[in-house]
Amino acid sequence: MAGAGQTPRGQAKYHVGKSKIFSSQFGCQEHTLISPDEMRALHPLMNIQDDDIYGGIYTAGDGHIDPSSVTNAFANRAKDLGGIIEQQTEVVAMTLLPDKRWEVITRTSKGEEKRTVADFVVNAAGLWCDVVGRMAEVRVPSVVIQHQYCITDPIPAVKEYHDKHGHQLPVLRDLRGSFYIRDERDGILVGPYESAETMQLAPKEWRETGMPMDLGNFLFEGDVERLMPHLERAMEILPGLAEVGMKTVLCGPTMWPADGNHLVGPAPEWDVAPNYWLACAESYGIAHSVGLSSYLAEWITTGEPPYELKEADPARYGVWATKDWVSVKVREAYGLNNHPHFPNENLLAARPVLLETKPLNSGIYELLEAKGCQFGFHNGWESANYFDPSAGGKQNGNAYGSFQRPDYQKHVLEEVKGMASFGGICYWPFSKYHVSGPGAVAFMDRLVPNRLPKVGRCALSYFLTPQAKIGSEVMLARLSEDEFYVVSYPEQELFDWRWLQMQRDSFSSDPQTPLKDVDIKNVTGDFGTLMVSGPESRRILGQMAGDEAAWSNDSFKFYDYKEVTLAGIPCRALRVSFTGELGWELHPASGDLEPLYQALKAFEPRLNDWGGFAMGSFRLEKGFKAFGSDMTRDHHALEAGLSKKFLRMEKDFIGRDALLAGASVEPERRCVHLGVSTPDGLDCVGNEAIFNETTGEVVGFTTSGGFGYLAQRSIAFGYVKSSTLDSGDSLAIEVLGERYPAKVQEGPFKPVLPLASTEPVQSPSATPAVQRSPSAAPAAQSPSMSCSAGGVEGRK
Ligand SMILES: Cc1cc2nc3c(=O)[nH]c(=O)nc-3n(C[C@H](O)[C@H](O)[C@H](O)COP(=O)(O)OP(=O)(O)OC[C@H]3O[C@@H](n4cnc5c(N)ncnc54)[C@H](O)[C@@H]3O)c2cc1C
């Protein structure tokens, strides 16, 4: 049971509660919102004032469990199933064999060594996962931190409750005090999460290299002073606590990744450590053990995760997530453990990621920062959410955190209008790879379900899983006959990298299609991307290039890519657009990003800056589903609505068998584009329940949503039962506890805002070449190239 107080922060917590109730609509653990009176009835020892508390969330099946019993239950079940457990035995080394299995050397406490050949390895070494990671050159971006709880002497009222009811009190969570309280015999255990400032990490040496192997039962010294702010609040809620002494203050080491989730999945370094899996940094290793182990086992045995759980995947952290970085970031996560999390949350600790002393994307970063850029974090890179020149160089972070439409909307509106009426620039840190070599065509052809682009062309494509779920959305640009430039979402960098490596391994070992000689390079850091969009973009780029005809609709068609030179800077240019507006992606060498941006602005100062939130508005209006929310490994290609154009059943590709199996059956649910009639200032954000208004039944859920600034309306995407969609019954979406009508939209939402018309400028006679950064490498080795990403069907 968790309570939420009557403060603005408390209101937000209550909103979290309202949105959480959604999950119970789907048969997940049952949560109910309860009143202060109901809270008192369930937990009679609790002292809460009505003017202090809005209400609480009650989880009927919640409780606690003894960790040792859980561990033994796992061990016994494993033995029942034929598993072998060797106790007092340490893994001391492992070597990758040519057939990509592992030779693992173990040593018993008596010094006996054994060699075992393993098809795959799972590093579940807890506090020692760094040590076991290093044996295979696998990074484990997590650090050891201190975590405390304390137990009181017996409390008479608790004993009385146990004697009277024959069971324990409910576990109580108080977000304001940032702790949980549960019975421990006839006393109380208080488990606080200290603030970011007071919480303590393990000594630096242990954070860097992991816990020493001989400290199996190590405990830090408990520090009750650090817990006092939590204990004082606990005594307010449970006055009986003040009457007894503290029996134990226990402070133990525990391994956390930067965001407090887990590191569960295949190692992202699949190229050097294939068949090496992580089940590490289990911050809530007891509570989540059953779910995570079943998730991992299914992935290992079937080749794909049973559901999307990117928030636990080790591939979310690149090499930039050093131990020092994790040490700073983990404080923030730990301190926010019991705080409400907002949609569009923007947490600022350990940002920007520094390479020595400079931001990872130094150059463009400082340039955008000077323009009031409010950055969003994408896999180590920083790019604009929106621009707020009035912020005086400060990052707003979560200052606008809210479940309502946030206050930064005025800035986004200006960006959207500026780009749609004239033109603008947006820097975006896409992930990028080169796939080349004699086997590249066969490899790519089997990897994606659609036709490969011809040389000089791009194709929007998908990496489907064996079950035909959507693993990634990529833009393929064909640089030459056997060379592809693959561009995907920033967050996908290591996910796609790993997928490419895994599939190359699996194709190579398949006697039907042995694929050799495929070279895969991650070139994410080598190229940067500026999206130049809007009605004037063609004129501006054509004039800058000194050849407007070459940028005409006939010469530079949608999905074309070319190698171009703008202001003396060579770059890959591809005509694609995630906004649905006319536009190009320019991919210069990373060192040329800033000079290219400066040259564009010098040539046409009226180009405005726009960011990711404006991009979101455009794509919502146009009806472009976003990979990562509307399309993930939770969604089958057919229910997500991938058209025949993307699914060429005449060829062999990953996911084809599953598609064939489902081809004759109508998907049970379909992804739909929805207009939602919410009151002004309130939008869907994703994960809201969708109801059939006629029957009152829950028939779906949203996957994303927001405000369409040009259409001036609230828009969402969601999956809805096909039977409901076919029946024509009306839909409603529950947003923060209230239901609002929603209507399926056919085609894009039309702009209703008048767009300013801008006088065209005179074409300058010549475009000066700009000073190029000395670090800039030549943009392209290949004869012709270009690309894009984040694309959708049906764009300009
Ligand atoms: C004070 C405190 C309170 C906590 N409260 C909770 C809670 O309420 N709920 C919750 O879910 N979690 C809680 N946790 C966290 C929880 O204890 C951990 O998440 C959990 O123990 C992690 O389990 P694990 O199996 O991943 O790692 P570990 O428990 O560290 O186990 C790793 C195992 O790997 C073995 N090993 C290591 N290296 C090797 C090697 N080279 N060869 C062979 N074996 C090796 C070790 O001997 C060990 O047995 C708490 C932690 C602390 C400190």
Side-chain angles (χ1 to χ4, degrees), residues 67 71 86 89-92 106 123-129 131-132 135 145-149 180 182 193 213 216 219 250-256 262 279-289:
T71 313
E86 294 181 7
T89 304
E90 189 183 331
V91 172
V92 289
T106 51
N123 176 353
L127 294 168
W128 300 272
C129 57
V131 183
V132 177
M135 292 177 194
I145 65 166
Q146 302 186 23
H147 183 55
Q148 308 198 75
Y149 63 70
Y180 68 88
R182 67 167 174 84
Y193 281 79
M213 285 305 290
L219 288 175
L250 187 140
C251 184
T254 184
M255 197 74 164
W256 272 45
H262 309 263
C280 302
E282 305 283 10
S283 38
Y284 303 90
I286 313 298
H288 297 169
S289 56

Short mmCIF file of all heavy atoms in Angstrom, two decimals, residues 67 71 86 89-92 106 123-129 131-132 135 145-149 180 182 193 213 216 219 250-256 262 279-289, ligand 1:
data_model
loop_
_atom_site.label_atom_id
_atom_site.label_comp_id
_atom_site.label_asym_id
_atom_site.label_seq_id
_atom_site.Cartn_x
_atom_site.Cartn_y
_atom_site.Cartn_z
N PRO A 67 14.65 -14.13 1.36
CA PRO A 67 15.54 -14.31 0.21
C PRO A 67 16.19 -15.70 0.17
O PRO A 67 16.37 -16.27 -0.91
CB PRO A 67 16.63 -13.25 0.39
CG PRO A 67 16.18 -12.36 1.47
CD PRO A 67 15.05 -12.99 2.20
N THR A 71 16.04 -18.40 -2.95
CA THR A 71 17.24 -18.95 -3.60
C THR A 71 17.20 -20.48 -3.57
O THR A 71 17.49 -21.14 -4.58
CB THR A 71 18.51 -18.44 -2.87
OG1 THR A 71 18.36 -17.03 -2.69
CG2 THR A 71 19.76 -18.72 -3.67
N GLU A 86 27.30 -26.83 -8.62
CA GLU A 86 28.58 -27.18 -7.97
C GLU A 86 28.88 -26.10 -6.95
O GLU A 86 29.19 -24.97 -7.31
CB GLU A 86 29.69 -27.28 -9.02
CG GLU A 86 29.45 -28.44 -9.98
CD GLU A 86 30.55 -28.60 -11.02
OE1 GLU A 86 31.57 -27.89 -10.94
OE2 GLU A 86 30.36 -29.42 -11.93
N THR A 89 32.64 -23.72 -5.63
CA THR A 89 33.39 -23.83 -6.89
C THR A 89 33.36 -22.48 -7.60
O THR A 89 32.30 -21.90 -7.78
CB THR A 89 32.74 -24.90 -7.80
OG1 THR A 89 32.69 -26.12 -7.06
CG2 THR A 89 33.52 -25.11 -9.08
N GLU A 90 34.54 -22.04 -7.98
CA GLU A 90 34.65 -20.69 -8.55
C GLU A 90 35.00 -20.77 -10.04
O GLU A 90 35.86 -21.57 -10.43
CB GLU A 90 35.76 -19.96 -7.79
CG GLU A 90 35.85 -18.50 -8.11
CD GLU A 90 37.04 -17.85 -7.37
OE1 GLU A 90 37.40 -18.33 -6.27
OE2 GLU A 90 37.58 -16.90 -7.90
N VAL A 91 34.35 -19.96 -10.84
CA VAL A 91 34.77 -19.82 -12.24
C VAL A 91 36.01 -18.94 -12.20
O VAL A 91 35.95 -17.81 -11.68
CB VAL A 91 33.65 -19.16 -13.08
CG1 VAL A 91 34.16 -18.82 -14.47
CG2 VAL A 91 32.43 -20.05 -13.15
N VAL A 92 37.13 -19.43 -12.73
CA VAL A 92 38.35 -18.63 -12.63
C VAL A 92 38.81 -18.09 -13.99
O VAL A 92 39.58 -17.14 -14.04
CB VAL A 92 39.50 -19.43 -11.96
CG1 VAL A 92 39.22 -19.61 -10.48
CG2 VAL A 92 39.73 -20.76 -12.64
N THR A 106 36.89 -23.98 -13.89
CA THR A 106 36.41 -23.79 -12.51
C THR A 106 37.42 -24.40 -11.54
O THR A 106 38.18 -25.30 -11.90
CB THR A 106 35.04 -24.46 -12.30
OG1 THR A 106 35.11 -25.80 -12.74
CG2 THR A 106 33.94 -23.75 -13.04
N ASN A 123 26.52 -14.65 -16.99
CA ASN A 123 27.21 -14.02 -15.86
C ASN A 123 26.16 -13.56 -14.86
O ASN A 123 25.47 -12.56 -15.10
CB ASN A 123 28.05 -12.85 -16.37
CG ASN A 123 28.74 -12.07 -15.25
OD1 ASN A 123 28.50 -12.32 -14.06
ND2 ASN A 123 29.59 -11.13 -15.62
N ALA A 124 25.99 -14.32 -13.77
CA ALA A 124 25.03 -13.94 -12.71
C ALA A 124 25.80 -13.83 -11.40
O ALA A 124 25.35 -14.28 -10.36
CB ALA A 124 23.93 -14.99 -12.61
N ALA A 125 26.99 -13.20 -11.51
CA ALA A 125 27.92 -13.22 -10.37
C ALA A 125 27.69 -12.09 -9.39
O ALA A 125 28.56 -11.81 -8.56
CB ALA A 125 29.36 -13.24 -10.88
N GLY A 126 26.55 -11.42 -9.46
CA GLY A 126 26.16 -10.44 -8.44
C GLY A 126 27.24 -9.41 -8.18
O GLY A 126 27.71 -8.71 -9.09
N LEU A 127 27.67 -9.33 -6.94
CA LEU A 127 28.65 -8.31 -6.55
C LEU A 127 29.98 -8.50 -7.27
O LEU A 127 30.81 -7.61 -7.30
CB LEU A 127 28.88 -8.37 -5.04
CG LEU A 127 27.66 -7.99 -4.18
CD1 LEU A 127 27.89 -8.37 -2.73
CD2 LEU A 127 27.38 -6.51 -4.30
N TRP A 128 30.17 -9.69 -7.85
CA TRP A 128 31.46 -10.00 -8.50
C TRP A 128 31.31 -10.05 -10.03
O TRP A 128 32.16 -10.59 -10.72
CB TRP A 128 31.98 -11.34 -7.96
CG TRP A 128 32.18 -11.26 -6.48
CD1 TRP A 128 33.30 -10.85 -5.83
CD2 TRP A 128 31.22 -11.57 -5.47
NE1 TRP A 128 33.09 -10.86 -4.47
CE2 TRP A 128 31.82 -11.31 -4.21
CE3 TRP A 128 29.90 -12.02 -5.47
CZ2 TRP A 128 31.16 -11.49 -3.00
CZ3 TRP A 128 29.24 -12.20 -4.26
CH2 TRP A 128 29.87 -11.93 -3.04
N CYS A 129 30.24 -9.49 -10.55
CA CYS A 129 29.98 -9.61 -11.99
C CYS A 129 31.07 -8.92 -12.83
O CYS A 129 31.34 -9.34 -13.95
CB CYS A 129 28.60 -9.09 -12.35
SG CYS A 129 28.31 -7.39 -11.88
N VAL A 131 34.27 -8.98 -12.24
CA VAL A 131 35.40 -9.91 -12.33
C VAL A 131 35.10 -10.94 -13.42
O VAL A 131 35.95 -11.22 -14.29
CB VAL A 131 35.60 -10.63 -10.96
CG1 VAL A 131 36.80 -11.55 -11.01
CG2 VAL A 131 35.73 -9.61 -9.83
N VAL A 132 33.89 -11.47 -13.41
CA VAL A 132 33.52 -12.49 -14.40
C VAL A 132 33.35 -11.86 -15.78
O VAL A 132 33.62 -12.50 -16.80
CB VAL A 132 32.24 -13.24 -13.93
CG1 VAL A 132 31.78 -14.26 -14.95
CG2 VAL A 132 32.49 -13.91 -12.59
N MET A 135 36.70 -11.56 -17.59
CA MET A 135 37.24 -12.82 -18.15
C MET A 135 36.91 -12.93 -19.64
O MET A 135 37.55 -13.68 -20.36
CB MET A 135 36.62 -14.03 -17.42
CG MET A 135 37.04 -14.15 -15.97
SD MET A 135 36.18 -15.55 -15.20
CE MET A 135 36.51 -15.22 -13.47
N ILE A 145 26.98 -0.19 -4.41
CA ILE A 145 26.52 0.91 -3.55
C ILE A 145 26.14 0.33 -2.18
O ILE A 145 26.03 -0.89 -2.02
CB ILE A 145 25.32 1.67 -4.15
CG1 ILE A 145 24.09 0.75 -4.24
CG2 ILE A 145 25.65 2.23 -5.52
CD1 ILE A 145 22.81 1.50 -4.51
N GLN A 146 25.91 1.22 -1.22
CA GLN A 146 25.48 0.78 0.11
C GLN A 146 23.96 0.91 0.21
O GLN A 146 23.40 1.88 -0.27
CB GLN A 146 26.11 1.66 1.18
CG GLN A 146 27.62 1.67 1.13
CD GLN A 146 28.22 2.44 2.30
OE1 GLN A 146 27.60 2.60 3.35
NE2 GLN A 146 29.45 2.91 2.13
N HIS A 147 23.35 -0.07 0.84
CA HIS A 147 21.90 0.00 1.03
C HIS A 147 21.60 -0.44 2.46
O HIS A 147 22.09 -1.47 2.90
CB HIS A 147 21.21 -0.90 0.00
CG HIS A 147 19.71 -0.85 0.07
ND1 HIS A 147 19.01 0.34 -0.02
CD2 HIS A 147 18.78 -1.82 0.23
CE1 HIS A 147 17.72 0.08 0.08
NE2 HIS A 147 17.54 -1.22 0.23
N GLN A 148 20.78 0.37 3.16
CA GLN A 148 20.55 0.10 4.57
C GLN A 148 19.08 -0.20 4.86
O GLN A 148 18.19 0.27 4.16
CB GLN A 148 20.87 1.35 5.40
CG GLN A 148 22.22 1.96 5.17
CD GLN A 148 22.59 2.87 6.33
OE1 GLN A 148 22.95 2.40 7.40
NE2 GLN A 148 22.49 4.16 6.11
N TYR A 149 18.86 -0.96 5.89
CA TYR A 149 17.53 -1.00 6.51
C TYR A 149 17.71 -1.17 8.01
O TYR A 149 18.81 -1.49 8.48
CB TYR A 149 16.62 -2.09 5.91
CG TYR A 149 17.06 -3.53 6.08
CD1 TYR A 149 17.04 -4.15 7.33
CD2 TYR A 149 17.45 -4.28 4.98
CE1 TYR A 149 17.41 -5.48 7.47
CE2 TYR A 149 17.83 -5.61 5.12
CZ TYR A 149 17.81 -6.20 6.36
OH TYR A 149 18.17 -7.51 6.51
N TYR A 180 9.85 1.85 2.75
CA TYR A 180 8.76 0.90 2.96
C TYR A 180 8.88 0.41 4.39
O TYR A 180 9.95 0.46 5.01
CB TYR A 180 8.81 -0.26 1.95
CG TYR A 180 9.98 -1.19 2.11
CD1 TYR A 180 9.91 -2.29 2.96
CD2 TYR A 180 11.16 -0.97 1.41
CE1 TYR A 180 11.00 -3.15 3.11
CE2 TYR A 180 12.25 -1.81 1.56
CZ TYR A 180 12.16 -2.90 2.41
OH TYR A 180 13.24 -3.73 2.57
N ARG A 182 7.60 -2.86 6.89
CA ARG A 182 6.90 -4.15 7.00
C ARG A 182 7.20 -4.77 8.35
O ARG A 182 8.14 -4.35 9.06
CB ARG A 182 7.32 -5.08 5.87
CG ARG A 182 8.77 -5.54 5.93
CD ARG A 182 8.99 -6.69 4.96
NE ARG A 182 10.37 -7.09 4.84
CZ ARG A 182 11.00 -7.92 5.68
NH1 ARG A 182 10.36 -8.40 6.74
NH2 ARG A 182 12.26 -8.25 5.48
N TYR A 193 15.13 4.61 1.13
CA TYR A 193 16.02 4.95 0.03
C TYR A 193 16.49 6.36 0.31
O TYR A 193 15.70 7.30 0.24
CB TYR A 193 15.31 4.83 -1.31
CG TYR A 193 15.24 3.39 -1.75
CD1 TYR A 193 14.29 2.53 -1.20
CD2 TYR A 193 16.17 2.88 -2.65
CE1 TYR A 193 14.26 1.19 -1.56
CE2 TYR A 193 16.13 1.54 -3.01
CZ TYR A 193 15.19 0.71 -2.46
OH TYR A 193 15.16 -0.61 -2.81
N MET A 213 36.93 -11.05 -4.09
CA MET A 213 36.26 -12.36 -4.04
C MET A 213 36.11 -12.90 -2.62
O MET A 213 35.23 -13.71 -2.35
CB MET A 213 37.04 -13.39 -4.88
CG MET A 213 36.90 -13.24 -6.37
SD MET A 213 35.20 -13.26 -6.97
CE MET A 213 34.73 -14.94 -6.70
N GLY A 216 32.63 -12.41 0.82
CA GLY A 216 31.32 -12.98 0.55
C GLY A 216 30.22 -12.49 1.48
O GLY A 216 29.09 -12.30 1.06
N LEU A 219 29.62 -6.67 5.29
CA LEU A 219 28.63 -5.62 5.57
C LEU A 219 29.36 -4.32 5.89
O LEU A 219 30.42 -4.35 6.54
CB LEU A 219 27.76 -5.99 6.77
CG LEU A 219 26.73 -7.11 6.57
CD1 LEU A 219 26.04 -7.44 7.88
CD2 LEU A 219 25.70 -6.74 5.50
N LEU A 250 21.29 -2.45 9.39
CA LEU A 250 22.09 -3.30 8.51
C LEU A 250 22.42 -2.55 7.22
O LEU A 250 21.53 -1.96 6.59
CB LEU A 250 21.30 -4.57 8.19
CG LEU A 250 22.08 -5.62 7.41
CD1 LEU A 250 21.75 -7.00 7.94
CD2 LEU A 250 21.77 -5.53 5.92
N CYS A 251 23.67 -2.52 6.86
CA CYS A 251 24.09 -1.80 5.65
C CYS A 251 24.89 -2.76 4.77
O CYS A 251 26.00 -3.16 5.13
CB CYS A 251 24.95 -0.60 6.05
SG CYS A 251 25.44 0.42 4.65
N GLY A 252 24.30 -3.15 3.66
CA GLY A 252 24.96 -4.17 2.83
C GLY A 252 25.37 -3.61 1.48
O GLY A 252 24.87 -2.59 1.03
N PRO A 253 26.29 -4.31 0.79
CA PRO A 253 26.67 -3.90 -0.57
C PRO A 253 25.67 -4.46 -1.58
O PRO A 253 25.19 -5.59 -1.41
CB PRO A 253 28.04 -4.56 -0.76
CG PRO A 253 28.02 -5.76 0.14
CD PRO A 253 27.06 -5.48 1.26
N THR A 254 25.35 -3.70 -2.58
CA THR A 254 24.47 -4.19 -3.64
C THR A 254 24.88 -3.52 -4.94
O THR A 254 25.42 -2.42 -4.94
CB THR A 254 22.98 -3.97 -3.27
OG1 THR A 254 22.16 -4.55 -4.25
CG2 THR A 254 22.61 -2.53 -3.09
N MET A 255 24.67 -4.20 -6.04
CA MET A 255 25.20 -3.75 -7.34
C MET A 255 24.10 -3.06 -8.13
O MET A 255 23.05 -3.66 -8.36
CB MET A 255 25.65 -5.01 -8.08
CG MET A 255 26.55 -4.78 -9.21
SD MET A 255 28.16 -4.35 -8.55
CE MET A 255 29.22 -4.55 -9.92
N TRP A 256 24.33 -1.82 -8.53
CA TRP A 256 23.31 -1.09 -9.29
C TRP A 256 23.85 -0.58 -10.61
O TRP A 256 24.97 -0.07 -10.66
CB TRP A 256 22.82 0.11 -8.48
CG TRP A 256 21.68 -0.17 -7.55
CD1 TRP A 256 21.54 -1.23 -6.72
CD2 TRP A 256 20.51 0.65 -7.37
NE1 TRP A 256 20.37 -1.13 -6.02
CE2 TRP A 256 19.72 0.02 -6.39
CE3 TRP A 256 20.08 1.85 -7.92
CZ2 TRP A 256 18.50 0.55 -5.97
CZ3 TRP A 256 18.86 2.38 -7.48
CH2 TRP A 256 18.09 1.73 -6.53
N HIS A 262 18.15 -3.19 -14.34
CA HIS A 262 19.01 -4.37 -14.32
C HIS A 262 19.87 -4.41 -15.57
O HIS A 262 19.72 -3.59 -16.46
CB HIS A 262 18.13 -5.64 -14.28
CG HIS A 262 17.09 -5.61 -13.20
ND1 HIS A 262 17.27 -6.20 -11.98
CD2 HIS A 262 15.87 -5.03 -13.16
CE1 HIS A 262 16.20 -6.00 -11.23
NE2 HIS A 262 15.34 -5.29 -11.92
N ALA A 279 23.16 -11.47 -16.39
CA ALA A 279 22.02 -11.37 -15.45
C ALA A 279 22.61 -10.68 -14.22
O ALA A 279 22.76 -11.28 -13.17
CB ALA A 279 21.46 -12.74 -15.13
N CYS A 280 23.00 -9.43 -14.43
CA CYS A 280 23.82 -8.72 -13.44
C CYS A 280 23.11 -7.46 -12.95
O CYS A 280 22.08 -7.06 -13.48
CB CYS A 280 25.13 -8.27 -14.08
SG CYS A 280 26.09 -9.60 -14.76
N ALA A 281 23.76 -6.83 -11.96
CA ALA A 281 23.30 -5.55 -11.41
C ALA A 281 21.82 -5.64 -11.05
O ALA A 281 21.02 -4.78 -11.42
CB ALA A 281 23.56 -4.43 -12.42
N GLU A 282 21.50 -6.68 -10.33
CA GLU A 282 20.10 -6.93 -9.95
C GLU A 282 19.75 -6.07 -8.74
O GLU A 282 19.83 -6.52 -7.60
CB GLU A 282 19.92 -8.42 -9.62
CG GLU A 282 20.35 -9.36 -10.72
CD GLU A 282 19.33 -9.43 -11.84
OE1 GLU A 282 18.40 -8.61 -11.85
OE2 GLU A 282 19.48 -10.29 -12.70
N SER A 283 19.37 -4.85 -9.01
CA SER A 283 19.09 -3.92 -7.90
C SER A 283 17.95 -4.44 -7.01
O SER A 283 17.97 -4.24 -5.81
CB SER A 283 18.74 -2.56 -8.48
OG SER A 283 17.97 -2.73 -9.65
N TYR A 284 16.96 -5.07 -7.63
CA TYR A 284 15.87 -5.70 -6.85
C TYR A 284 15.88 -7.19 -7.17
O TYR A 284 14.94 -7.74 -7.71
CB TYR A 284 14.51 -5.10 -7.22
CG TYR A 284 14.47 -3.61 -7.04
CD1 TYR A 284 14.83 -2.77 -8.07
CD2 TYR A 284 14.12 -3.07 -5.82
CE1 TYR A 284 14.85 -1.40 -7.90
CE2 TYR A 284 14.13 -1.70 -5.63
CZ TYR A 284 14.49 -0.88 -6.69
OH TYR A 284 14.50 0.47 -6.51
N GLY A 285 17.01 -7.80 -6.86
CA GLY A 285 17.27 -9.16 -7.32
C GLY A 285 16.34 -10.20 -6.74
O GLY A 285 16.14 -11.26 -7.33
N ILE A 286 15.76 -9.93 -5.58
CA ILE A 286 14.84 -10.90 -4.99
C ILE A 286 13.47 -10.72 -5.64
O ILE A 286 12.90 -11.66 -6.21
CB ILE A 286 14.72 -10.71 -3.46
CG1 ILE A 286 16.09 -10.56 -2.80
CG2 ILE A 286 13.88 -11.83 -2.83
CD1 ILE A 286 17.01 -11.72 -2.93
N ALA A 287 12.98 -9.49 -5.59
CA ALA A 287 11.62 -9.23 -6.07
C ALA A 287 11.47 -9.58 -7.55
O ALA A 287 10.45 -10.11 -7.96
CB ALA A 287 11.27 -7.76 -5.85
N HIS A 288 12.50 -9.28 -8.34
CA HIS A 288 12.35 -9.45 -9.78
C HIS A 288 12.92 -10.77 -10.30
O HIS A 288 12.95 -11.00 -11.50
CB HIS A 288 13.04 -8.28 -10.52
CG HIS A 288 12.41 -6.95 -10.21
ND1 HIS A 288 12.98 -5.75 -10.56
CD2 HIS A 288 11.26 -6.64 -9.57
CE1 HIS A 288 12.21 -4.76 -10.16
NE2 HIS A 288 11.16 -5.27 -9.55
N SER A 289 13.40 -11.61 -9.37
CA SER A 289 14.16 -12.79 -9.81
C SER A 289 13.34 -13.73 -10.69
O SER A 289 13.84 -14.20 -11.72
CB SER A 289 14.70 -13.54 -8.59
OG SER A 289 13.64 -13.88 -7.72
C1 LIG B 1 20.35 -4.23 2.78
C2 LIG B 1 19.80 -4.78 1.51
C3 LIG B 1 18.45 -4.93 1.37
C4 LIG B 1 17.92 -5.43 0.19
N1 LIG B 1 16.57 -5.55 0.08
C5 LIG B 1 16.04 -6.06 -1.06
C6 LIG B 1 14.63 -6.22 -1.19
O1 LIG B 1 13.86 -5.88 -0.30
N2 LIG B 1 14.15 -6.76 -2.34
C7 LIG B 1 14.98 -7.11 -3.35
O2 LIG B 1 14.50 -7.59 -4.36
N3 LIG B 1 16.31 -6.97 -3.25
C8 LIG B 1 16.88 -6.45 -2.14
N4 LIG B 1 18.23 -6.28 -2.05
C9 LIG B 1 19.06 -6.59 -3.22
C10 LIG B 1 19.30 -8.08 -3.33
O3 LIG B 1 19.95 -8.54 -2.18
C11 LIG B 1 20.17 -8.36 -4.54
O4 LIG B 1 19.53 -7.80 -5.66
C12 LIG B 1 20.36 -9.84 -4.80
O5 LIG B 1 20.97 -10.46 -3.71
C13 LIG B 1 21.23 -10.04 -6.03
O6 LIG B 1 21.27 -11.41 -6.29
P1 LIG B 1 22.30 -12.00 -7.34
O7 LIG B 1 22.05 -13.46 -7.39
O8 LIG B 1 22.24 -11.24 -8.60
O9 LIG B 1 23.75 -11.68 -6.74
P2 LIG B 1 24.42 -12.24 -5.44
O10 LIG B 1 23.44 -12.42 -4.36
O11 LIG B 1 25.59 -11.34 -5.20
O12 LIG B 1 24.92 -13.69 -5.86
C14 LIG B 1 25.96 -13.88 -6.79
C15 LIG B 1 26.48 -15.29 -6.62
O13 LIG B 1 27.50 -15.51 -7.59
C16 LIG B 1 28.56 -16.20 -6.96
N5 LIG B 1 29.80 -15.91 -7.70
C17 LIG B 1 30.42 -14.73 -7.86
N6 LIG B 1 31.53 -14.86 -8.60
C18 LIG B 1 31.63 -16.17 -8.91
C19 LIG B 1 32.56 -16.94 -9.63
N7 LIG B 1 33.64 -16.39 -10.21
N8 LIG B 1 32.35 -18.26 -9.76
C20 LIG B 1 31.27 -18.85 -9.19
N9 LIG B 1 30.34 -18.17 -8.49
C21 LIG B 1 30.53 -16.85 -8.34
C22 LIG B 1 28.59 -15.65 -5.56
O14 LIG B 1 29.26 -16.54 -4.71
C23 LIG B 1 27.11 -15.53 -5.25
O15 LIG B 1 26.61 -16.74 -4.74
C24 LIG B 1 18.78 -5.78 -0.88
C25 LIG B 1 20.17 -5.63 -0.74
C26 LIG B 1 20.69 -5.14 0.44
C27 LIG B 1 22.17 -5.00 0.58
#
